[in-house]
Amino acid sequence: MTEISSLIASIACKCPRCGEGDLFNTGLSNLTLRDACDKCGLDLKKNDSADGPAVFLIFVLGAALVPMALIFENLVAPPLWVHAVLWGTIALAVTIGSLKPIKSLVIGIQYRHRPADWE
Ligand SMILES: [Zn+2]
């Protein structure tokens, strides 16, 4: 795979080697990585993304949401409970929606740039 198609496959939660197998289990445990790719057999237990995706998400969300909340406060000046509900909901939705693609992206980057870890 080219570097771009590898990146796209990673964001789509697909295997970084073949781009076809799913990285995550389905059903209730859909946040859990599979042990191996069901298409090419890549051992996914060798990934070492650890807390990287969560930390990356915290930095990006914090840098994006705090200025948006400050601008919203200056323009609209809503009651505090509106801020709590609005920004809490947005933060939760963005976190839940993007954690798997970001974890998958980190795994894809590690696969591309640290190939010795996967042998
Ligand atoms: Zn694969």
Side-chain angles (χ1 to χ4, degrees):
M1 282 195 297
T2 66
E3 194 152 336
I4 296 297
S5 63
S6 171
L7 202 63
I8 291 170
S10 292
I11 292 172
C13 300
K14 298 295 182 184
C15 170
R17 181 161 69 188
C18 68
E20 294 179 15
D22 292 325
L23 281 182
F24 295 95
N25 287 319
T26 56
L28 291 177
S29 63
N30 66 355
L31 291 177
T32 309
L33 274 179
R34 293 174 185 254
D35 289 340
C37 174
D38 57 349
K39 301 289 183 190
C40 70
L42 177 66
D43 187 1
L44 297 171
K45 290 181 287 187
K46 292 182 177 176
N47 96 84
D48 187 24
S49 62
D51 294 338
V55 171
F56 181 70
L57 197 53
I58 288 168
F59 286 144
V60 170
L61 268 183
L65 292 185
V66 170
M68 288 168 51
L70 291 173
I71 291 170
F72 185 65
E73 172 63 26
N74 271 343
L75 294 178
V76 181
L80 283 179
W81 68 266
V82 172
H83 281 290
V85 170
L86 177 67
W87 301 112
T89 303
I90 290 173
L92 270 176
V94 172
T95 300
I96 291 171
S98 62
L99 193 53
K100 280 171 62 173
I102 289 176
K103 183 176 178 101
S104 179
L105 178 64
V106 169
I107 291 171
I109 291 171
Q110 286 179 333
Y111 180 79
R112 164 107 12 218
H113 297 288
R114 290 179 20 194
D117 291 355
W118 296 85
E119 293 170 358

